[in-house]
Amino acid sequence: MQRVSLQPGYVIHQRDFKDSSRIIECYTQDYGRVALVAKGVRSSKKGFQYLLQPFLPLKLSWAGRGELPTLTHVEMNAASSPHLQGKALFCGFYLNELIVRLTHRHDASPELYQCYLEALSTLDQPDQEEPTLRRFEVQMLDILGYGLQLEVDGNGEPIDPHQQYYYHVETGPMTTPIPGIQHIPTSGETLLALSAGLPLANEKQQQESRRLMRSVLQFHLGGKPLQSRRVYQQLFKS
Amino acid sequence: MEQGLLNNLVESLCCLPGVGRKSAQRMAFHLLERDRSGGLHLAEALDKAMQGIGECHLCRTFSEKTICNRCSDPARDQSILCIVEMPSDIVALSTVDYKGLFFVLKGRLSPIDGIGPHEIGLDILEQRLAEGQVREIILATNATIEGQATAHYIAEMGKKLGIDVMKIAQGVPLGGELEYIDSNTLSHAFKSRVRY
């Protein structure tokens, strides 16, 4: 029987389970992504029901055997929490979906947890959605071992900021496109900015990095597209 | 043959929420042993309801007609529209002194589950708002993150069309003691304090 006490974490997603319970998908600092059963939380006034919401910094306790332990206690981890609204809120959902789709249960990474924390707090600031998402995507892939090749090209030469490159997940950036493979055209400048976590200077860099990250993520996610991006596009691009 | 019918009945009863095999069996035996007429009545009512109840074209709640009684009631104020997540929310709000109309989303935006604006009828709502009869919308979605996201999106839609957007208040419940109220609700209550 495993018993974990007051573990810092966030609710990532939840769904109804049986008549009155919920399965809460959490992302925690030292245990990675865990699924917990919050028993009776839909029907009783248990007291912590209102805390089981995404983006609230929590401390979670659970106990039990096997894949689905029981949530025993929840409390706030900080007095205040980032208050995401509008586009930032939907970007937050996107971060959550990335975590659900790309991390394995119980694969703990305090480093990635820290990145998630930082991403949430910068999303809270005005007009930081794009740079925050790009930074998180690069950091996340790096930590999970799918890191992008952003400093040297496919031939081992350092990236030249003034050169045009063609990026493919398996070859890295190439100076000339290889026929028969779909490449993402990206400037050296953008690659270096992504690598250093620098703010993307202009619309062109933002667009390039967006397309690059989309194609790389698509590669790692397999055929199933990210739902939250589709919803975001429906909501804000029409 | 009889065993087959009994089995079939028990399995069919299992589709009800909260009813497992054991309870289904108890219900089936009760109806067969003690209340055959009640059982027949239930079967008839179920049949009629499943065939006859559809969706109101205006507010999307359950209704036998294409336009439900509430939407076609001339005594109701056609210029105010209250937006709720579920048909059961209308029942909850029916005790409130409100004379406007409703719109039921039958869900909430939930990007991870792929539930977007189309799935909760926001295109129908937008059309309705664009017709110009509605002057005020009252957002009564649940106080969850998804509910807030939904409310925010509808609010933007309403503002673009020049409609007054209101949201039901959040705060201290009647009979509530401040000491026992969670800090998030309290800070909401504080932020939206009103002149006394």
Side-chain angles (χ1 to χ4, degrees):
Chain A
M1 175 113 154
Q2 190 195 28
R3 197 177 282 279
V4 177
S5 183
L6 298 176
Q7 173 63 215
Y10 283 83
V11 171
I12 296 285
H13 189 45
Q14 48 182 310
R15 59 177 188 275
D16 291 348
F17 179 62
K18 293 191 178 163
D19 281 337
S20 59
S21 306
R22 277 213 180 100
I23 293 181
I24 316 279
E25 196 80 50
C26 302
Y27 194 61
T28 62
Q29 183 179 290
D30 302 319
Y31 294 82
R33 185 159 70 85
V34 286
L36 306 170
V37 188
K39 282 190 181 151
V41 86
R42 278 157 63 207
S43 59
S44 72
K45 292 199 168 75
K46 224 175 182 178
F48 56 61
Q49 183 180 3
Y50 69 93
L51 285 175
L52 295 174
Q53 297 290 329
F55 317 122
L56 283 185
L58 301 175
K59 279 183 181 169
L60 303 141
S61 304
W62 65 87
R65 259 180 270 272
E67 264 296 295
L68 211 55
T70 305
L71 181 73
T72 51
H73 179 76
V74 185
E75 61 184 68
M76 284 285 278
N77 192 11
S80 68
S81 55
H83 189 61
L84 302 183
Q85 272 192 320
K87 281 188 180 179
L89 181 53
F90 287 91
C91 291
F93 286 129
Y94 174 77
L95 295 184
N96 286 359
E97 190 177 8
L98 280 184
I99 289 190
V100 170
R101 294 283 302 278
L102 285 171
T103 65
H104 294 285
R105 289 227 173 106
H106 311 296
D107 192 1
S109 166
E111 210 185 339
L112 182 59
Y113 181 79
Q114 200 54 41
C115 293
Y116 179 70
L117 232 69
E118 278 163 22
L120 283 188
S121 70
T122 47
L123 270 183
D124 200 19
Q125 294 156 18
D127 293 323
Q128 283 298 311
E129 291 102 7
E130 284 259 339
T132 305
L133 293 189
R134 295 299 88 77
R135 201 176 311 128
F136 183 76
E137 287 163 349
V138 172
Q139 288 170 332
M140 179 177 199
L141 289 174
D142 206 34
I143 292 168
L144 295 177
Y146 306 129
L148 277 80
Q149 190 176 330
L150 296 169
E151 279 148 10
V152 289
D153 69 11
N155 301 320
E157 298 290 326
I159 296 291
D160 173 2
H162 306 296
Q163 167 85 40
Q164 171 76 21
Y165 290 92
Y166 301 89
Y167 199 99
H168 184 265
V169 184
E170 280 162 339
T171 61
M174 303 296 285
T175 46
T176 48
I178 303 173
I181 303 182
Q182 208 195 350
H183 296 85
I184 303 298
T186 315
S187 67
E189 217 177 3
T190 306
L191 293 174
L192 289 173
L194 277 177
S195 152
L198 292 174
L200 300 161
N202 49 44
E203 181 60 32
K204 177 173 170 265
Q205 284 195 8
Q206 289 190 3
Q207 201 178 357
E208 280 183 350
S209 56
R210 192 163 53 224
R211 291 186 54 196
L212 174 66
M213 294 316 293
R214 189 182 305 170
S215 108
V216 172
L217 284 170
Q218 202 55 55
F219 179 87
H220 293 300
L221 288 168
K224 212 175 139 206
L226 286 164
Q227 300 282 3
S228 51
R229 205 183 65 225
R230 185 180 64 81
V231 171
Y232 185 92
Q233 281 170 338
Q234 279 182 14
L235 288 170
F236 297 106
K237 297 279 161 67
S238 57
Chain B
M1 184 63 193
E2 273 171 22
Q3 206 57 32
L5 283 176
L6 184 60
N7 250 336
N8 192 9
L9 174 60
V10 169
E11 264 161 36
S12 306
L13 284 168
C14 287
C15 79
L16 292 166
V19 176
R21 216 183 146 75
K22 200 90 185 167
S23 327
Q25 230 165 43
R26 210 164 47 232
M27 289 179 193
F29 283 136
H30 172 83
L31 292 176
L32 289 170
E33 279 168 19
R34 304 178 182 203
D35 202 356
R36 294 225 172 203
S37 65
L40 285 170
H41 185 67
L42 174 68
E44 195 189 326
L46 262 178
D47 187 45
K48 279 189 182 156
M50 292 306 120
Q51 304 286 344
I53 298 180
E55 190 173 90
C56 169
H57 284 204
L58 284 179
C59 69
R60 310 215 315 154
T61 193
F62 296 123
S63 167
E64 292 168 48
K65 306 175 194 160
T66 44
I67 308 291
C68 69
N69 291 343
R70 200 179 285 105
C71 288
S72 53
D73 183 354
R76 283 191 167 261
D77 187 345
Q78 307 277 327
S79 68
I80 310 179
L81 192 65
C82 175
I83 292 158
V84 296
E85 289 183 13
M86 289 296 171
S88 54
D89 295 337
I90 295 191
V91 180
L93 286 171
S94 63
T95 53
V96 176
D97 183 27
Y98 169 66
K99 290 278 173 261
L101 300 178
F102 286 98
F103 185 87
V104 185
L105 301 168
K106 294 201 175 165
R108 62 196 79 92
L109 289 177
S110 179
I112 299 187
D113 301 310
I115 299 175
H118 180 70
E119 284 79 3
I120 57 169
L122 290 186
D123 37 357
I124 303 173
L125 178 64
E126 193 165 19
Q127 250 175 356
R128 169 106 182 255
L129 296 179
E131 282 167 13
Q133 204 177 18
V134 177
R135 308 292 339 142
E136 177 184 337
I137 47 185
I138 302 173
L139 297 166
T141 51
N142 289 338
T144 57
I145 287 283
E146 283 94 351
Q148 284 171 24
T150 314
H152 178 89
Y153 182 72
I154 298 172
E156 293 294 313
M157 198 156 91
K159 281 179 201 160
K160 260 189 228 160
L161 292 162
I163 296 170
D164 257 348
V165 181
M166 314 288 272
K167 183 176 171 294
I168 55 167
Q170 241 175 317
V172 183
L174 285 183
E177 290 179 40
L178 294 192
E179 194 186 344
Y180 296 108
I181 292 171
D182 68 276
S183 57
N184 285 12
T185 307
L186 268 185
S187 74
H188 262 292
F190 234 79
K191 267 187 224 153
S192 49
R193 61 185 176 273
V194 289
R195 193 162 295 285
Y196 187 66

